[in-house]
Amino acid sequence: MLNTDNKLSIFALGGINEIGKNMYVIEYGEELVIIDCGAKFADQSLLGVDLIIPDLSYLEENRHKIKALIVTHGHEDHIGGIPFMLKKLNMPIYASRFTLGLIELKLKEHKLLRDTVLNEINAESRIDFEHLSVTFFKTSHSIPDCLGIVFDTPEGKIVHTGDFKFDFTPVNDQVSDIHKMAAIGTEGVLALISESTNAERPGFTPSEQIIASHLEEEFLRATGKVFISTFASNVNRIQQIVEAAKKTNRKLVLLGRSMVNVTSVAMRLGYLDIPGWMLVEPRDMRELPPERIVVLCTGSQGEPLAALSRLSTGRNRDVKVIQGDTVIFAASPIPGNEKDVSKIVDNLFQLGAKVVYGNSSVTGMHVSGHGYQEDLKMMLTLMKPKYFIPIHGEYRMLHIHRLLAEAVGVKYNNTFILKNGEIVDIKNAEARQTRAITAGDTYVDGVGSDEVGEIVLRDRKQLSEEGMLVIVITISKYDGSIISGPDSISRGFVYAKESEALINDINEISKAAVMNFKESNPFAMKKAIKKAVDQYIFTLKMRKPMILPIVIEI
């Protein structure tokens, strides 16, 4: 029997007002379904942090409600957080064939595959829970097997588009199912949740097909080796690179762990066709003339540890970029990565390479997998939603998407521009946004998935900016008298040999701070040393190094 007190709630734990770590939730009564669990890369301000994933606090508090994780497609910003979530919360995962293949790779790496229930779905699948039913429709994107999701709820239909564009001539023949989308819209959509990445760009997104001729032309022009960098998950682009290499009589070298792994999954599942004779190991490249080689690598976003970065600084043992080679960036920089990409481009020019980079409309080497304004308007027109929630974008993108929705008939006040954690509640087909839950970032340090807290990050920042001062003193455990020291060790604060007078003063201040203790009390002594030295250094130098007093009792 339906509980009339239940309401339908929609919210994001990541992916709104940002690019990356997409995670959305549909909740009705005691049923909670998660859509995607992504990650995003940290910028240089987050010292030592490798990945950022959503804060899972709400899900941990409501673990008894979780029915499933449904994944729209296999990009990192939609699956990158899955292993870290599964270490805290186990749940069945539903995803398409290729997406499952990529998820399995991650779960093997984290030794989670055996304990996770993976369910393969497609555009014809249906999942039934007590109050929620889930169906799917095909969309086009820059990776195979992408799905939009339809939730049939007691309040009405909720549609999540996933990432999409309308490509009528896709490389992989996976065309968006416009007829099914139109049928869903005709049945009535209460709320549409739709991506906003390219909401600022007018027109329709170009077809992936236009890339092929540009690749072939550049390969024909090249006189030496060709290096080409793209996202490992862009299987359609990789297939085009393979075809261009065939036509220009070049063999293929794969560089980068993710490129090798994803390519092997795509070949095994039949999404990528690379003849066995065409693949060459990096160490065997020297046996071929340069004009017979294409090196396909990761690192198009300037990632410091990726293959292209290592090539640009000569850190790859087997493969070198030399004068006369051609390097092609077959991906546009994600906002925020431009500086890192520019540094690699500079390094490559210094090595004497010809570098094809920059605006994709000029180079012809990349088209977006995300819909432009006319694609977004077409989705809105097909679905005809009463309410609209733009997602997957920074605030300006969400705002412009709202205006696009208004232009095709969605009332301005029926669009909800949210922050992560803000909840749209729907009761009796009326939507309101009046409450929020905890939603933020979880920092991951290394593949070991150790989480990094705010205090650790603050300490790292202090160390990087101000340095560290260690003060060691040995005392008697019987009466607290000084046996040896204090001795001060500076790292990143001052160079001790050139600052002997300052170090001597610090030692004297430390000594004075513990002289008044009549008995051994290491904890209080450390506190006294830290306070006295901190005040002295700040007064003298306006600096605040990390001060670590070590009091040894003997």
Side-chain angles (χ1 to χ4, degrees):
M1 183 174 175
L2 182 62
N3 183 349
T4 55
D5 293 331
N6 287 340
K7 60 178 174 285
L8 179 67
S9 300
I10 304 168
F11 55 94
L13 293 174
I16 295 183
N17 289 308
E18 62 185 346
I19 302 291
K21 76 176 178 63
N22 292 281
M23 189 179 214
Y24 309 95
V25 176
I26 305 293
E27 184 176 358
Y28 185 84
E30 293 298 301
E31 294 182 338
L32 184 155
V33 178
I34 303 164
I35 305 165
D36 295 339
C37 180
K40 70 178 181 180
F41 293 110
D43 61 32
Q44 294 177 346
S45 68
L46 298 173
L47 301 162
V49 173
D50 294 322
L51 284 178
I52 306 172
I53 62 173
D55 182 340
L56 303 175
S57 303
Y58 182 82
L59 297 180
E60 291 182 77
E61 292 165 9
N62 293 273
R63 63 177 69 231
H64 62 285
K65 294 185 179 183
I66 299 173
K67 300 301 177 186
L69 167 66
I70 301 175
V71 184
T72 58
H73 66 285
H75 278 146
E76 278 297 305
D77 58 332
H78 296 260
I79 68 170
I82 291 176
F84 309 107
M85 180 173 70
L86 290 178
K87 289 174 183 178
K88 296 181 176 183
L89 300 161
N90 202 350
M91 68 196 72
I93 296 175
Y94 294 84
S96 60
R97 187 163 177 255
F98 184 62
T99 306
L100 274 188
L102 298 180
I103 292 171
E104 285 176 359
L105 269 181
K106 292 185 172 296
L107 299 189
K108 281 179 185 174
E109 183 181 338
H110 289 264
K111 298 180 173 58
L112 294 167
L113 188 55
R114 179 188 290 179
D115 301 320
T116 307
V117 177
L118 300 176
N119 301 281
E120 185 179 320
I121 55 173
N122 57 43
E124 306 308 316
S125 298
R126 180 184 179 93
I127 309 167
D128 289 310
F129 304 108
E130 185 180 354
H131 298 307
L132 303 175
S133 294
V134 188
T135 53
F136 305 91
F137 57 91
K138 280 195 290 188
T139 60
S140 294
H141 188 39
S142 56
I143 191 172
D145 285 4
C146 297
L147 295 172
I149 308 173
V150 183
F151 291 87
D152 272 298
T153 80
E155 292 289 343
K157 278 186 168 59
I158 310 298
V159 176
H160 186 293
T161 64
D163 291 3
F164 75 94
K165 67 176 181 179
F166 289 100
D167 189 342
F168 300 106
T169 55
V171 172
N172 58 9
D173 297 324
Q174 294 190 357
V175 182
S176 299
D177 193 341
I178 295 175
H179 299 293
K180 193 167 186 179
M181 294 180 200
I184 293 164
T186 301
E187 292 167 8
V189 173
L190 179 61
L192 176 67
I193 307 165
S194 182
E195 72 129 322
S196 311
T197 313
N198 276 334
E200 298 169 283
R201 305 179 74 170
F204 279 101
T205 313
S207 172
E208 186 78 21
Q209 289 281 8
I210 69 171
I211 303 291
S213 59
H214 296 289
L215 281 171
E216 192 174 332
E217 286 172 17
E218 204 61 62
F219 281 24
L220 284 168
R221 283 197 208 104
T223 55
K225 298 188 294 294
V226 172
F227 294 82
I228 185 161
S229 182
T230 190
F231 295 109
S233 57
N234 195 337
V235 174
N236 302 340
R237 185 75 42 77
I238 293 171
Q239 188 66 61
Q240 288 179 310
I241 292 165
V242 169
E243 297 308 316
K246 279 184 192 173
K247 290 180 180 178
T248 55
N249 197 28
R250 290 176 180 264
K251 294 202 171 187
L252 189 67
V253 178
L254 302 177
L255 276 189
R257 187 166 64 106
S258 61
M259 184 63 74
V260 172
N261 288 343
V262 173
T263 300
S264 65
V265 169
M267 291 173 68
R268 175 171 56 85
L269 297 177
Y271 293 90
L272 192 56
D273 179 21
I274 306 178
W277 58 263
M278 193 176 187
L279 287 170
V280 177
E281 289 295 323
R283 62 180 176 270
D284 298 329
M285 274 178 54
R286 62 195 68 180
E287 298 174 12
L288 292 169
E291 64 274 11
R292 293 282 314 283
I293 295 169
V294 174
V295 179
L296 177 58
C297 61
T298 55
S300 61
Q301 299 304 306
E303 306 96 304
L305 298 179
L308 190 59
S309 176
R310 298 174 70 83
L311 288 168
S312 75
T313 53
R315 288 180 291 148
N316 189 297
R317 184 177 59 188
D318 297 313
V319 186
K320 303 293 181 187
V321 177
I322 62 172
Q323 182 91 26
D325 288 342
T326 298
V327 182
I328 300 169
F329 284 76
S332 294
I334 293 170
N337 293 347
E338 295 90 350
K339 186 176 179 181
D340 294 332
V341 172
S342 295
K343 179 63 178 172
I344 289 176
V345 171
D346 280 352
N347 290 344
L348 291 167
F349 273 120
Q350 289 181 38
L351 292 173
K354 174 189 175 183
V355 188
V356 181
Y357 72 102
N359 191 314
S360 57
S361 63
V362 176
T363 67
M365 294 299 173
H366 176 68
V367 296
S368 179
H370 301 274
Y372 289 10
Q373 289 181 354
E374 296 305 317
D375 300 72
L376 301 181
K377 284 158 67 176
M378 180 180 285
M379 179 66 78
L380 284 156
T381 302
L382 289 168
M383 293 297 175
K384 300 187 283 289
K386 178 179 180 182
Y387 296 107
F388 177 50
I389 303 173
I391 59 165
H392 203 300
E394 294 166 352
Y395 184 85
R396 67 187 183 280
M397 303 167 188
L398 308 179
H399 172 73
I400 293 170
H401 204 173
R402 174 189 221 163
L403 299 180
L404 296 175
E406 186 184 19
V408 297
V410 179
K411 292 180 181 177
Y412 185 85
N413 290 333
N414 281 10
T415 294
F416 294 90
I417 297 183
L418 306 176
K419 296 175 182 174
N420 291 330
E422 291 184 344
I423 301 174
V424 172
D425 289 314
I426 302 177
K427 181 79 171 174
N428 299 324
E430 294 297 321
R432 293 184 179 181
Q433 198 287 300
T434 58
R435 64 190 182 104
I437 56 163
T438 299
D441 295 335
T442 299
Y443 303 119
V444 179
D445 189 351
V447 288
S449 83
D450 295 326
E451 291 181 9
V452 182
E454 294 288 348
I455 294 172
V456 173
L457 280 177
R458 186 191 65 200
D459 287 348
R460 288 181 182 179
K461 190 170 190 297
Q462 185 180 6
L463 281 168
S464 71
E465 294 176 351
E466 305 285 356
M468 176 176 69
L469 186 66
V470 180
I471 303 166
V472 183
I473 187 168
T474 304
I475 62 169
S476 167
K477 70 186 303 183
Y478 299 108
D479 59 8
S481 60
I482 297 174
I483 296 174
S484 70
D487 295 310
S488 296
I489 304 163
S490 168
R491 290 292 182 271
F493 168 52
V494 292
Y495 183 45
K497 288 185 179 179
E498 295 177 357
S499 308
E500 288 186 11
L502 175 62
I503 296 296
N504 288 337
D505 288 346
I506 290 169
N507 289 339
E508 288 301 317
I509 290 167
S510 302
K511 186 175 182 180
V514 298
M515 288 288 286
N516 296 329
F517 284 85
K518 304 301 182 188
E519 59 184 10
S520 175
N521 187 341
F523 178 78
M525 288 176 168
K526 287 187 217 177
K527 197 172 178 181
I529 292 170
K530 190 174 188 307
K531 183 178 179 183
V533 173
D534 190 61
Q535 287 177 345
Y536 171 72
I537 292 173
F538 189 75
T539 303
L540 185 69
K541 290 190 168 291
M542 298 294 286
R543 296 269 303 277
K544 290 188 77 68
M546 182 176 287
I547 299 168
L548 298 176
I550 298 173
V551 178
I552 303 169
E553 285 184 302
I554 60 172

